Amino acid sequence: HPLPFLDDPRRLRRLLSSCAALRTLTRLHALLIVSSSASSHHILSSCLATAYARAGDLAAAESTLATAPTSPSSIAAWNALLAAHSRGASPDEALRVFRAIPAAVRPDSTTFTLALSACARLGDLATGEVVRDRASKAGYRNDIFVCSSLLNFYAKWGAMDDAVKVFDRMRKRDRVTWSTMVTGCVNAGQPVQAIEMYMRMREDGLEGDEVVIVGVMQACAATGDVRMGASVHGYLLRHAMRMDIVISTSLVDMYAKNRLFDQARRVFELMPHRNDVSWSALISQLAQYGNADEALGLFRQMQVSGLQPNSGPVVGALLACSDLGLLKLGKSIHGFILRRLELDHMVGTAVIDMYSKCGSLASAQLLFDKVVSRDLISWNVMIACFGAHGRGRDALSLFQEMKRNEVRPDHATFASLLSALSHSGLVEEGKFWFDCMVNEYGIEPAEKHLVCIVDLLARSGLVEEAKDLLASMHTKPTISILVALLSGCRNNKKLELGESTAEKILELQPGDVGVLALVSNLYAAAKNWDKVREVRKLMKDHSSKKVPGCSSIEIRGALHTFVMEDQSHPQHRQILQMVSKLDSEMRKMGYVPKTEFAFGLLNTSPGTRLVVIKNLRVCGDCHDAIKYMSKIADREIVVRDAKRFHHFKDGACSCGDYW
């Protein structure tokens, strides 16, 4: 025989297992077919199919298997084909091959492991259950590899109850297994269980790897368990474990989300290398929790470092601009986004929100109208923008347009809509849509919805109806809800109901001086002087917690802040002179103008619109005074207080004195 090895199956097997070149493989296959060794061809068909699978010709591998005699030993070839499809990012093809395995071929641990891996990649829970049952019937219920794959399959798709069942029956657990459970719990929104799983892991004598540590940090950030987070941080330091960029960033995020900014900064500053996620973790949380100045400083520092911000830090910077009312800087960041980034849903919504909160509703609306693909959050934010600016009917029109676009409203949509209707005094519309929310959309009213509807009814004098509505609810009214009712009672002289509401508020022990002042005023209106003295004493006890009144105004890109009784501004003398001019015009009306408006008038040209940001709710006296200022100075004055916007022009306010 010219090629004697063709008649030697053992030599052929060795040759096929070592053959990596597809061209050589096909020539060997051809030789087997045309040679007198047809029997060898059939005997070696499984080896041949395995070789084809390794070489990447999966079609040839499958056709070879289809003509091969079925035997338990051929499972290796089927496994090779399964593995090749998995490596080639074709999990659906891997499952098709799994289903095609002949009944005479007995799947083994590798077969089930590969099939479960394909199910995990596809999120095919139904097929995963079928594979699990087949593995169990075949005797692999407790096989370490099958269990690990099944565990990963459940954890990846949030079926943590099933994952725990598999985990608890595993006789051997390695670090990867524990890591799968910790990260699975975090991703499934079960941070408490993730921390418990980590503690079990430590009790089992295993140390956490990078994936576990990051998962625990995410869980601590979500639960506010700073003690556990700091404990893990200390463990890392004591054991001189490698603090790479991923672990350090997770520490920054954990501390920042729990408002421990000193610790977050310390970890951040010690990082030798930072990526955009690291910067975003600190910038976003600083902006979100009232440290807007520092957030913007860090954003500029990031740019100076040469790292181009992505959407995370940019959204944080926009949030800071919104908080401070920095329209000029916000516009600059919008320009940067248009030049360097994609205006996706998240970034686009942040820009819309920034324009609105900086007083430029027209710019927010223009950008919203340009967005072709709008998600639910975009609609919600724009409805909220209209509401904050006192444009209740526009908010309602937008809500109805959203419905026509077949976007289903959620709890946040109705919160924004009801707030808008409340601010505009649209009573019948508010009642109608509150009922629709409950009865048509099946949304259970939360505190934010009840505050809006009670405020709407009580302000309109329908305090008894508001009280009856609360009585029909299954939840106990919170301070915010009761304050809305109390305010309506006071404004509409419903003093008996007001006193009973005030009693309920005091039972909840409010620490807010503003709330206590409202309660005191109600008792004073009812001439209940004993209660007035009692509440005044509480106010005195809480006076150290009172937030001082603060207003700010942006002039030519610079932010100027005025705190109550502060005389440190370099233009203090000129401001007082402008106040004197306003005072002479307004004295007969009995109003005292505020210095921040005088500063704006002093430093801008006639006709320039002024936008003032206040940290507290504007009071009735201020509201009336600013109306007269707008007429005297012939200016549009926009005031954003803690609740909403007021647009003053020609002696009138956009809220129609309903706020």
Side-chain angles (χ1 to χ4, degrees):
H1 197 290
L3 294 171
F5 66 86
L6 290 175
D7 292 323
D8 187 342
R10 292 179 61 188
R11 288 179 66 189
L12 267 173
R13 282 194 186 92
R14 287 198 300 270
L15 185 62
L16 288 171
S17 63
S18 63
C19 184
L22 184 59
R23 185 180 177 189
T24 305
L25 189 58
T26 54
R27 291 176 68 186
L28 276 171
H29 192 181
L31 280 170
L32 283 169
I33 292 170
V34 300
S35 73
S36 58
S37 306
S39 59
S40 295
H41 168 223
H42 288 297
I43 293 168
L44 295 169
S45 55
S46 291
C47 287
L48 194 58
T50 304
Y52 272 128
R54 275 201 309 268
D57 192 339
L58 306 189
E62 195 162 350
S63 64
T64 303
L65 271 175
T67 59
T70 56
S71 69
S73 62
S74 62
I75 191 59
W78 287 99
N79 288 345
L81 189 55
L82 274 170
H85 279 301
S86 296
R87 283 195 304 271
S90 303
D92 50 344
E93 284 295 296
L95 288 182
R96 183 187 60 76
V97 169
F98 174 77
R99 295 186 186 100
I101 296 174
V105 178
R106 189 172 184 270
D108 60 13
S109 170
T110 303
T111 317
F112 295 120
T113 298
L114 289 167
L116 286 168
S117 175
C119 291
R121 291 173 65 186
L122 290 169
D124 190 341
L125 295 172
T127 303
E129 301 280 280
V130 171
V131 176
R132 180 203 63 190
D133 292 343
R134 282 190 62 182
S136 183
K137 288 176 183 175
Y140 293 99
R141 184 175 185 271
N142 296 315
D143 180 84
I144 183 66
F145 301 108
V146 172
C147 285
S148 295
S149 291
L150 189 58
L151 191 70
N152 178 64
F153 165 64
Y154 283 135
K156 186 171 183 178
W157 295 100
M160 293 311 298
D161 289 342
D162 292 315
V164 169
K165 289 175 185 174
V166 175
F167 180 80
D168 286 343
R169 73 168 186 258
M170 291 177 71
R171 292 188 296 271
K172 184 180 178 183
R173 302 161 184 153
D174 58 12
R175 189 176 281 108
V176 175
T177 309
W178 287 101
S179 173
T180 300
M181 291 302 295
V182 171
T183 54
C185 288
V186 171
N187 294 335
Q190 300 176 3
V192 173
Q193 291 87 334
I195 293 171
E196 289 172 354
M197 194 61 65
Y198 171 72
M199 292 172 71
R200 284 179 62 186
M201 175 183 174
R202 295 303 314 279
E203 288 167 6
D204 216 35
L206 280 175
E207 295 179 359
D209 61 6
E210 176 187 295
V211 178
V212 171
I213 296 297
V214 170
V216 173
M217 287 300 140
Q218 289 173 335
C220 292
T223 60
D225 192 345
V226 183
R227 289 186 64 183
M228 173 58 77
S231 173
V232 176
H233 186 189
Y235 177 85
L236 292 170
L237 295 174
R238 286 193 305 275
H239 291 79
M241 292 180 69
R242 191 169 66 95
M243 298 274 284
D244 64 15
I245 194 168
V246 178
I247 289 178
S248 296
T249 298
S250 68
L251 282 167
V252 171
D253 186 62
M254 184 274 296
Y255 283 127
K257 281 181 176 169
N258 286 288
R259 307 189 195 189
L260 296 175
F261 290 113
D262 287 342
Q263 290 91 323
R265 290 185 204 97
R266 196 172 298 122
V267 176
F268 182 81
E269 287 163 3
L270 288 172
M271 293 175 68
H273 304 288
R274 303 166 188 142
N275 58 16
D276 50 7
V277 181
S278 314
W279 289 93
S280 179
L282 193 50
I283 291 170
S284 299
Q285 299 308 317
L286 284 168
Q288 189 169 336
Y289 291 119
N291 297 275
D293 279 329
E294 190 177 352
L296 289 174
L298 206 60
F299 182 72
R300 295 187 187 99
Q301 188 182 333
M302 179 184 181
Q303 290 178 300
V304 170
S305 74
L307 190 63
Q308 180 175 307
N310 67 358
S311 58
V314 164
V315 168
L318 287 168
L319 183 61
C321 290
S322 300
D323 187 42
L324 296 171
L326 289 171
L327 180 60
K328 187 174 181 180
L329 180 57
K331 283 182 177 178
S332 174
I333 295 172
H334 184 196
F336 170 84
I337 293 166
L338 294 176
R339 292 191 304 273
R340 303 285 182 86
L341 298 175
E342 182 183 349
L343 196 70
D344 59 18
H345 285 144
M346 181 178 70
V347 175
T349 301
V351 176
I352 289 169
D353 187 59
M354 178 276 297
Y355 277 124
S356 172
K357 287 180 178 170
C358 289
S360 184
L361 181 63
S363 298
Q365 188 174 357
L366 185 65
L367 180 58
F368 178 81
D369 290 341
K370 284 182 178 177
V371 176
V372 178
S373 175
R374 302 165 183 159
D375 63 359
L376 177 60
I377 296 173
S378 305
W379 288 97
N380 288 353
V381 165
M382 197 62 224
I383 290 170
C385 290
F386 278 130
H389 285 267
R391 302 261 294 270
R393 294 204 178 276
D394 288 327
L396 182 55
S397 295
L398 191 65
F399 173 79
Q400 290 167 330
E401 183 187 339
M402 183 184 93
K403 288 185 64 188
R404 287 194 296 273
N405 279 267
E406 298 182 349
V407 178
R408 184 178 176 83
D410 66 356
H411 65 95
T413 317
F414 281 105
S416 297
L417 176 65
L418 292 170
S419 176
L421 299 175
S422 171
H423 286 159
S424 301
L426 299 173
V427 179
E428 293 306 317
E429 291 87 344
K431 289 164 67 175
F432 175 81
W433 288 109
F434 182 83
D435 288 340
C436 277
M437 178 187 80
V438 176
N439 299 317
E440 183 179 338
Y441 291 94
I443 297 172
E444 188 73 22
E447 180 190 39
K448 56 191 175 184
H449 304 112
L450 291 172
V451 168
C452 291
I453 193 66
V454 168
D455 182 67
L456 177 62
L457 294 170
R459 280 182 188 278
S460 304
L462 303 173
V463 290
E464 293 293 338
E465 188 174 339
K467 184 196 77 170
D468 292 342
L469 174 68
L470 289 179
S472 70
M473 293 291 127
H474 303 298
T475 56
K476 191 174 180 180
T478 62
I479 288 179
S480 298
I481 296 169
L482 292 170
V483 164
L485 181 59
L486 182 69
S487 181
C489 290
R490 179 172 173 268
N491 293 339
N492 293 282
K493 305 293 187 293
K494 304 287 186 178
L495 300 181
E496 186 178 346
L497 176 58
E499 285 195 82
S500 65
T501 305
E503 283 294 328
K504 291 176 183 176
I505 292 173
L506 291 177
E507 286 171 11
L508 295 172
Q509 300 180 340
D512 188 314
V513 177
V515 171
L516 291 172
L518 181 62
V519 171
S520 174
N521 291 340
L522 187 284
Y523 281 128
K527 296 183 170 49
N528 188 339
W529 305 116
D530 289 339
K531 277 292 185 181
V532 169
R533 281 189 290 273
E534 180 187 325
V535 177
R536 289 288 174 185
K537 184 180 182 303
L538 284 173
M539 290 174 68
K540 188 176 180 181
D541 294 341
H542 289 290
S543 61
S544 60
K545 302 177 184 177
K546 185 176 180 181
V547 178
C550 174
S551 302
S552 60
I553 184 168
E554 182 187 15
I555 303 293
R556 290 184 287 277
L559 191 70
H560 298 263
T561 302
F562 300 85
V563 181
M564 201 169 115
E565 298 182 0
D566 180 19
Q567 300 180 11
S568 63
H569 196 279
Q571 288 183 275
H572 182 66
R573 188 181 298 276
Q574 296 98 309
I575 292 169
L576 289 180
Q577 290 172 353
M578 177 61 75
V579 168
S580 180
K581 289 180 182 179
L582 288 170
D583 187 57
S584 66
E585 296 284 339
M586 299 176 62
R587 190 177 295 279
K588 62 179 179 286
M589 304 173 192
Y591 298 109
V592 180
K594 301 293 178 180
T595 56
E596 65 271 10
F597 299 105
F599 175 78
L601 295 171
L602 184 66
N603 287 276
T604 58
S605 56
T608 304
R609 188 179 77 145
L610 301 180
V611 179
V612 177
I613 310 295
K614 294 179 69 67
N615 67 327
L616 303 176
R617 186 173 178 271
V618 67
C619 70
D621 285 342
C622 288
H623 193 267
D624 286 345
I626 303 164
K627 287 197 294 184
Y628 285 99
M629 284 184 201
S630 69
K631 190 163 184 68
I632 292 166
D634 193 24
R635 297 286 192 98
E636 181 185 358
I637 302 175
V638 180
V639 179
R640 188 186 91 191
D641 69 7
K643 295 287 184 182
R644 55 170 297 178
F645 279 88
H646 299 266
H647 294 252
F648 298 91
K649 193 172 183 179
D650 297 327
C653 179
S654 60
C655 73
D657 296 337
Y658 189 95
W659 88 100

